[in-house]
Amino acid sequence: MKSLSGVSTVTEFILLSFPCSKEVQVILFMLFLVSYILTLMGNGAIVCAVKLDRRLHTPMYILLANFAFLEICYINTTVPNMLKNFLSETKTISFMACFFQFYFFFSMGITETLLLPLMAFDRYLAICQPLHYPVIMNNHLCMNLVALCWVTAFLCYPIPIYFITQLPFCGPNTIDHFVCDPGPLLALSCIPAPGIELSCSILSSLIIFITLFFILGSYTLVLRAVLRVPSAAGRRKAFSTCGSHLAVVSLFYGTLMIMYISPTSGNPGGIQKIVTLFYSLVTPLINPLIYSLRNKDMKAALRKIHMCTGISQSK
């Protein structure tokens, strides 16, 4: 604790994570550790496949590789600290580390909400504008749009976070979560900050709903174009190129929407932790399976990498 104008202020927070017995903590540690390793391996395999296979050097797979890389970064903002807390007695995180985690966790989340509409726009161009697609969505433009998504996402939250850090935190310092989330953090402030809370809520809501409506609009146009395709085989091929992305969108936005439409009375902290855990750990774990199992080119590239790895190890 430090003193500011005679008032003790917190210098660290305690992340309760999932309070339970020591035995259950060890089981959860092992479960999340395995999930963490599988997530790194699955998304890392997609990044390597796109990088090493020249046939995948197209906007669609460049976007997929960036998305997989984002998932690796995303889980690294929360899971390592959560794993450490399972085996720790104190479960503390410093004041600055907490806000750095808050910043990177939300910046990665916003990057995902911007990359998903970009992937939907790519599918719209490929299906609805097939003749103009190679000219409009070339690799150079694709990389510039990806960079714009990353930069924009990381510029969204510095100002709100700065104002939150200026609030007085004089105790208690226990956060009933496994991540430094703005809701629990603002609840620990010594003075109410409805303006900051409202601005964070409006910013998050605008980003979520605007990008979701953009995705829905893109796929509405895609659906109209696909239904005009005369052959059933052509329609199946068009739907298959969008199926994986739609599954990921449903998982990610579905869990985010629960935060806004589900009743939180009775156990708001528990609901918040479960939903956050799903879109920050479970979704990145499932995404590589969705994309690799439904995509022939990706499966071929992954098999090629596996064969090359096996040959190099045998030598």
Side-chain angles (χ1 to χ4, degrees):
M1 307 288 283
K2 66 180 180 180
S3 178
L4 183 64
S5 301
V7 179
S8 296
T9 59
V10 301
T11 57
E12 61 184 18
F13 295 100
I14 299 172
L15 289 172
L16 284 183
S17 190
F18 299 93
C20 50
S21 66
K22 191 67 178 179
E23 293 76 14
V24 176
Q25 295 264 340
V26 173
I27 294 173
L28 289 176
F29 170 83
M30 295 302 297
L31 177 63
F32 289 143
L33 177 62
V34 171
S35 300
Y36 176 62
I37 294 172
L38 290 175
T39 302
L40 293 179
M41 291 174 61
N43 287 285
I46 289 178
V47 173
C48 292
V50 175
K51 182 177 178 60
L52 298 176
D53 194 330
R54 289 189 174 274
R55 294 174 302 174
L56 302 184
H57 290 183
T58 62
M60 175 181 172
Y61 292 106
I62 290 173
L63 290 172
L64 179 56
N66 273 275
F67 189 75
F69 175 72
L70 170 64
E71 296 289 47
I72 293 173
C73 298
Y74 199 20
I75 63 167
N76 276 311
T77 61
T78 57
V79 177
N81 188 72
M82 182 170 61
L83 292 174
K84 184 196 75 173
N85 280 352
F86 279 130
L87 304 179
S88 171
E89 295 293 336
T90 57
K91 305 184 187 301
T92 58
I93 183 171
S94 70
F95 186 88
M96 289 306 298
C98 184
F99 281 95
F100 271 119
Q101 185 190 60
F102 173 13
Y103 171 67
F104 283 104
F105 180 69
F106 269 74
S107 296
M108 296 295 176
I110 294 171
T111 306
E112 185 158 344
T113 61
L114 296 178
L115 275 180
L116 288 172
L118 181 55
M119 295 169 78
F121 179 65
D122 175 72
R123 291 301 84 207
Y124 158 75
L125 288 177
I127 294 172
C128 299
Q129 306 286 336
L131 298 179
H132 302 288
Y133 175 74
V135 178
I136 299 174
M137 184 60 79
N138 53 59
N139 288 0
H140 180 70
L141 176 62
C142 180
M143 291 303 297
N144 285 340
L145 290 174
V146 168
L148 182 63
C149 289
W150 282 86
V151 173
T152 302
F154 276 78
L155 291 177
C156 284
Y157 263 91
I159 293 176
I161 288 177
Y162 170 77
F163 283 113
I164 296 176
T165 60
Q166 300 309 300
L167 294 172
F169 293 90
C170 50
N173 64 337
T174 302
I175 300 175
D176 187 14
H177 214 309
F178 62 86
V179 64
C180 290
D181 194 71
L185 274 173
L186 288 171
L188 296 180
S189 174
C190 302
I191 60 173
I196 296 177
E197 191 170 358
L198 180 62
S199 63
C200 287
S201 178
I202 291 174
L203 178 60
S204 299
S205 299
L206 283 175
I207 292 170
I208 291 171
F209 288 108
I210 289 174
T211 54
L212 179 59
F213 287 144
F214 184 89
I215 293 171
L216 293 176
S218 298
Y219 276 110
T220 299
L221 296 175
V222 168
L223 180 62
R224 289 175 57 188
V226 170
L227 292 178
R228 294 196 190 104
V229 175
S231 67
R235 288 194 296 270
R236 282 196 300 269
K237 183 178 179 181
F239 278 126
S240 67
T241 62
C242 304
S244 300
H245 184 246
L246 280 172
V248 172
V249 168
S250 300
L251 284 172
F252 183 72
Y253 279 93
T255 52
L256 288 182
M257 296 297 288
I258 291 174
M259 299 286 286
Y260 293 92
I261 64 175
S262 64
T264 56
S265 60
N267 189 21
I271 293 174
Q272 195 173 42
K273 278 190 279 190
I274 292 171
V275 174
T276 305
L277 181 67
F278 194 89
Y279 70 73
S280 65
L281 179 62
V282 178
T283 303
L285 173 64
I286 297 174
N287 287 350
L289 295 175
I290 294 173
Y291 280 114
S292 61
L293 291 177
R294 294 182 59 90
N295 191 292
K296 294 180 180 179
D297 293 334
M298 183 57 65
K299 285 191 288 186
L302 292 173
R303 279 197 298 267
K304 183 178 178 181
I305 292 177
H306 179 71
M307 290 173 61
C308 292
T309 306
I311 293 172
S312 62
Q313 287 178 348
S314 64
K315 289 182 180 179

